[in-house]
Amino acid sequence: MYNYNIGEIINALSIEFVAIYLRKSRDDKSEEDVLANHRLELVELAQKYNLKYVIYEEIGTSDSIEFRPELKKLLREVKNGVYDAVLVIHPDRLGRGDWADVGEIRKAFKASNTVVITPQKVLDYNDENQELANDMDALMAKHEYRLIKGRLKAGKIRGAKRGRWTNGVPPFPYFYDRNTKSLVVDEAKLPIYRMMVEEYLNGTSLKDIAVKVNKMGIKTNRGKYWSEVKVERVIFSEIHLGRIIYGKTSGSGHKNKPAKPLEIKDRDEWIIVENCHTAIKTLEEHSRMLAIKNAKQKIPKRARNGVYALSGLIKCSKCGYSMRMNYKKTVTKGLKCYVVKCQKTDPFGNQCGHPGIDADILLEAIENELLLYLNEIKSFENPQPSNQYKLDDLLAEKRKELKNAEDGLNRIYK
Ligand SMILES: [Zn+2]
């Protein structure tokens, strides 16, 4: 129980985007899950006041900045004014000990008007007393709140994404709210999403889920029918955990501007902003789904890509989908290769069923076509001389016409 009003201070300072900094102190070594408890307490604090947050968690226990890579990273962002505040369990988690270190930390917070929030108090390094009063009246008197607010806002980088949605069409069942620049759950679509997650957890295949939703007449947010891939994308998306992730890739995937190749960065380099919008699946459900997916992937695939000469090259003339190849044992001819009847199903689960063919017949037809094509290419290699003569004649004729015209002009000007 804290009897000061942290909510009003957070409001008055317009704090909305914060960092949570976690570090075990050397004194904590006896308790194993002390960091987990700290994390829980600070996350609850952020959620209570509706703050978007990024977690920085130090692995070591060193007091020195030099051996605290997460703090180094955090201080860089604090200096750039990315965060409105940093949440810590106690100010000593940021720094104590070396005076130079403490000085560096204070300087970063002061320069960018970033405050420190603990479950007990709000600290402002720009204030000589360093402690914002617990009640609002005193806060107003001491700081002239408007001034602080202006100062704080001016120090922030406006370009920082700060947990805002900037990725275009939001995934089902969210929609984009212009005013808050964030995602809102479409309550009408939510039960459908929950059904997809629960069906998957109960062992239903992605394909069957897609068919089921299509039969209900529900489309994706882009107005398309559901497919295995589209269902997989939304049920495994981390956006549905309330997160927005920035900086997953570096470089550009742009075809026309190959400045830097597109690269997926390591997960510990991503910026994961939590609590950006309402989560509609739990972390526990998310991990259980991942476990199911991994288990499914362990089943060996019988047909690997590239096993057959024509794998991936044969398209169904009825629906355009790739047709599969397979070997069959026959009594008369031994092992024979076939193109399998088209397996593609429409969004409602109906199979295309376009018949397959004996691969030998297909290969023979392809060979014949290739031979014809080869003859055509050969004829290009030896251009027929008659064409060349025709062109020379035409050129001579045009030159003659030009000469006549020039002669005519000369006569006029003479
Ligand atoms: Zn087909």
Side-chain angles (χ1 to χ4, degrees):
M1 258 282 287
Y2 314 117
N3 57 2
Y4 72 102
N5 199 333
I6 193 173
E8 279 180 58
I9 297 175
I10 284 171
N11 248 331
L13 300 179
S14 297
I15 289 168
E16 49 183 54
F17 187 48
V18 303
I20 289 180
Y21 180 71
L22 295 163
R23 173 176 72 102
K24 243 168 129 169
S25 126
R26 284 199 179 125
D27 318 330
D28 297 334
K29 56 182 172 269
S30 54
E31 302 155 76
E32 266 306 303
D33 50 0
V34 64
L35 220 51
N37 290 336
H38 289 171
R39 177 204 282 265
L40 196 69
E41 190 171 350
L42 294 177
V43 164
E44 275 175 1
L45 189 70
Q47 279 171 346
K48 186 172 173 193
Y49 298 110
N50 222 357
L51 306 171
K52 296 172 180 175
Y53 61 92
V54 178
I55 294 180
Y56 294 78
E57 185 171 332
E58 211 76 71
I59 292 164
T61 59
S62 171
D63 278 331
S64 158
I65 295 181
E66 207 190 324
F67 301 108
R68 289 157 65 187
E70 288 297 301
L71 183 69
K72 270 190 188 166
K73 223 159 81 184
L74 175 63
L75 285 182
R76 214 159 44 227
E77 302 290 42
V78 166
K79 259 181 219 159
N80 288 333
V82 169
Y83 299 109
D84 300 324
V86 174
L87 271 53
V88 284
I89 211 75
H90 189 276
D92 73 7
R93 299 292 150 154
L94 282 171
R96 64 176 175 190
D98 194 317
W99 279 109
D101 278 0
V102 174
E104 191 184 331
I105 292 162
R106 290 213 173 141
K107 223 168 80 190
F109 278 81
K110 258 177 112 160
S112 60
N113 296 298
T114 309
V115 294
V116 174
I117 298 176
T118 75
Q120 283 81 30
K121 49 191 162 187
V122 179
L123 296 158
D124 178 2
Y125 288 125
N126 266 304
D127 177 37
E128 284 149 28
N129 299 320
Q130 285 190 23
E131 194 167 322
L132 292 180
N134 288 349
D135 72 290
M136 216 39 209
D137 289 344
L139 176 73
M140 294 289 205
K142 242 166 97 185
H143 288 269
E144 289 177 272
Y145 136 70
R146 271 169 210 288
L147 230 153
I148 302 171
K149 192 178 170 185
R151 200 154 52 80
L152 268 169
K153 280 289 173 195
K156 298 301 153 206
I157 292 177
R158 294 288 90 195
K161 287 169 183 164
R162 301 168 62 86
R164 291 194 182 112
W165 181 257
T166 57
N167 298 342
V169 179
F172 188 94
Y174 290 103
F175 65 89
Y176 177 69
D177 178 10
R178 250 168 227 279
N179 296 321
T180 59
K181 294 185 165 52
S182 55
L183 300 186
V184 180
V185 180
D186 183 332
E187 292 298 329
K189 292 176 177 175
L190 181 60
I192 309 292
Y193 183 76
R194 289 301 312 164
M195 184 202 77
M196 293 189 205
V197 169
E198 274 148 33
E199 289 275 356
Y200 190 80
L201 288 171
N202 287 332
T204 312
S205 74
L206 291 167
K207 195 170 170 184
D208 287 348
I209 296 172
V211 168
K212 188 169 176 178
V213 180
N214 285 329
K215 280 185 174 164
M216 292 167 83
I218 312 287
K219 300 258 180 92
T220 69
N221 271 6
R222 289 178 186 271
K224 300 273 200 276
Y225 283 120
W226 292 92
S227 62
E228 278 177 76
V229 177
K230 283 172 189 153
V231 171
E232 184 175 28
R233 215 174 278 155
V234 295
I235 66 173
F236 284 98
S237 162
E238 291 188 45
I239 293 165
H240 300 70
L241 292 167
R243 291 175 180 162
I244 295 183
I245 302 179
Y246 303 104
K248 268 190 186 179
T249 57
S250 65
S252 155
H254 207 286
K255 282 179 208 157
N256 304 325
K257 285 189 271 175
K260 257 187 178 176
L262 188 70
E263 261 176 50
I264 309 274
K265 292 202 225 167
D266 289 340
R267 193 176 169 99
D268 59 2
E269 287 180 59
W270 298 358
I271 300 160
I272 304 172
V273 186
E274 307 270 4
N275 207 26
C276 293
H277 44 261
T278 311
I280 51 176
K281 64 175 172 185
T282 64
L283 205 53
E284 188 263 343
E285 286 171 329
H286 183 70
S287 348
R288 256 166 66 212
M289 287 199 291
L290 284 175
I292 292 171
K293 189 177 166 184
N294 283 338
K296 280 186 179 168
Q297 278 169 352
K298 274 180 194 142
I299 299 166
K301 277 187 182 171
R302 209 154 48 90
R304 291 269 173 221
N305 288 338
V307 169
Y308 309 107
L310 295 170
S311 281
L313 295 174
I314 309 300
K315 306 277 183 205
C316 170
S317 63
K318 199 170 147 193
C319 71
Y321 188 72
S322 285
M323 294 179 89
R324 278 182 39 222
M325 314 285 295
N326 208 354
Y327 281 108
K328 264 188 202 165
K329 258 188 190 157
T330 59
V331 185
T332 48
K333 296 174 188 166
L335 210 58
K336 289 276 298 168
C337 187
Y338 287 92
V339 177
V340 182
K341 178 174 84 174
C342 183
Q343 305 287 305
K344 174 70 177 168
T345 51
D346 71 7
F348 305 102
N350 306 309
Q351 204 181 70
C352 168
H354 197 51
I357 193 173
D358 183 336
D360 287 344
I361 296 172
L362 191 64
L363 282 169
E364 204 184 306
I366 291 170
E367 198 181 350
N368 287 337
E369 282 294 316
L370 284 175
L371 283 173
L372 283 176
Y373 189 60
L374 196 66
N375 286 334
E376 216 173 292
I377 293 172
K378 275 183 182 159
S379 74
F380 280 129
E381 280 167 2
N382 309 308
Q384 286 164 347
S386 64
N387 279 341
Q388 190 60 46
Y389 294 145
K390 268 183 203 157
L391 281 176
D392 288 345
D393 287 352
L394 200 65
L395 190 62
E397 207 175 293
K398 289 287 169 198
R399 279 201 175 120
K400 213 168 141 189
E401 276 176 32
L402 188 65
K403 178 98 185 4
N404 286 341
E406 274 170 355
D407 289 349
L409 273 175
N410 284 336
R411 275 198 300 276
I412 291 166
Y413 287 119
K414 261 178 192 168

